[in-house]
Amino acid sequence: MSLGTKVRLARLFSHPSGNLFGGAVDHFVGYGDVRKGGLADLPGALARVMAGKPDYVSIQPGTARHLWPQYAGKASLVIQAGCFTPDDRISELIATPEDAVRAGADALAVAIPVRGATEGKYIRWLTDSVNAAARYGMPVVAHIYPRDFTDGAKIVFTPDEIAYAARIGYESGVDVIKIGYTGDFESFRETVRTCPVPVVIAGGPKTDTLLGALQQTADAIRAGARGAVVGRNLWGHGDPQKAALAFRGVIHDGLSAKDALAKAGA
């Protein structure tokens, strides 16, 4: 690992807890109706996430160009390169490590789905990005989503599929792996234990309650995860600042889900 990679990773995990609280505003083509929901106002969504003082934010390169200058220095910037829909209707790699360098980013994120007939192409996205990033000392954060095709194309979080996603990530040479939490503590702990790079969890689908999302995060941290990158449960929450404070309490202060929620007043 080059000095540049080490320095940038240290910035991502700079909090004294050693964990990472990230915000994701990088849903792009997978989001659906852009006139509804928490991302209808993209500048507003980013502002709400940044108000929660995340350690890093992952956004698309165009979003960074237009919206990030006012937030420079307030959190690490991670450029999202992956652009896909689970059914492969859209499947493009839209940024390179060089793009991330030019943007002043601390990492390149590459979101990929796995399983299905096109899996090999996505693994190639990841390995090519890792090899190119090495020339710039740019860490690669893999966001890996297993799919199931028995009833359409759906993202799944079963223990076997999440373990497979983690394996794809570290055998591709990435520096950080973001995967969904399985809901099964023991299986997730084993997946994290046998993974030689830091694992953080995806915020996943918006839960029925903030407490439910915090409980998943607390369980994942106890299982060895090094943090969480949260999207819908931040910008989709009625009070994103209170939600962020609660997540920070779980991730950085080691609070239980209930105690973090109480402290945040959410």
Side-chain angles (χ1 to χ4, degrees):
M1 184 183 292
S2 72
L3 175 61
T5 302
K6 291 178 180 178
V7 168
R8 290 182 173 96
L9 280 174
R11 287 200 286 257
L12 297 185
F13 291 92
S14 62
H15 192 275
S17 70
N19 291 336
L20 179 155
F21 168 46
V25 193
D26 60 1
H27 297 68
F28 203 15
V29 296
Y31 185 62
D33 190 341
V34 299
R35 298 180 64 196
K36 296 180 180 179
L39 289 182
D41 173 6
L42 189 60
L46 181 57
R48 291 193 296 275
V49 168
M50 287 302 297
K53 299 180 180 180
D55 303 316
Y56 92 50
V57 173
S58 60
I59 52 181
Q60 262 79 22
T63 307
R65 187 175 302 116
H66 293 300
L67 301 180
W68 191 253
Q70 64 182 304
Y71 302 113
K74 298 179 181 178
S76 288
L77 171 64
V78 178
I79 295 295
Q80 177 60 262
C83 175
F84 71 89
T85 54
D87 61 0
D88 291 326
R89 178 180 61 86
I90 296 173
S91 173
E92 301 292 342
L93 195 61
I94 62 171
T96 67
E98 184 177 355
D99 294 327
V101 171
R102 286 200 301 265
D106 284 320
L108 180 77
V110 182
I112 67 166
V114 292
R115 301 299 194 190
T118 56
E119 179 180 44
K121 177 183 73 172
Y122 291 113
I123 293 173
R124 174 58 66 184
W125 277 14
L126 204 50
T127 55
D128 283 353
S129 296
V130 167
N131 292 333
R135 297 196 291 271
Y136 300 98
M138 178 64 64
V140 174
V141 182
H143 299 190
I144 307 180
Y145 302 94
R147 296 177 291 183
D148 181 88
F149 293 92
T150 55
D151 182 21
K154 297 179 180 178
I155 304 298
V156 294
F157 301 93
T158 62
D160 287 350
E161 293 302 326
I162 291 300
Y164 181 74
R167 177 66 62 89
I168 291 292
Y170 73 73
E171 291 210 38
S172 297
V174 305
D175 301 286
V176 181
I177 297 170
K178 178 181 128 175
I179 49 178
Y181 181 60
T182 61
D184 180 83
F185 179 82
E186 291 299 333
S187 70
F188 193 78
R189 181 167 64 176
E190 183 64 12
T191 293
V192 174
R193 185 188 70 79
T194 56
C195 184
V197 301
V199 170
V200 298
I201 67 163
K206 189 175 186 303
T207 53
D208 291 337
T209 65
L210 180 57
L211 179 62
L214 293 169
Q215 187 61 59
Q216 287 185 0
T217 303
D219 289 345
I221 297 293
R222 285 196 305 116
R226 293 281 302 279
V229 180
V230 187
R232 292 175 180 85
N233 287 301
L234 283 183
W235 45 255
H237 189 269
D239 191 328
Q241 285 184 261
K242 288 183 178 180
L245 181 61
F247 276 106
R248 288 177 64 86
V250 168
I251 294 168
H252 287 324
D253 300 329
L255 299 179
S256 70
K258 289 183 178 179
D259 286 347
L261 197 63
K263 181 179 178 181

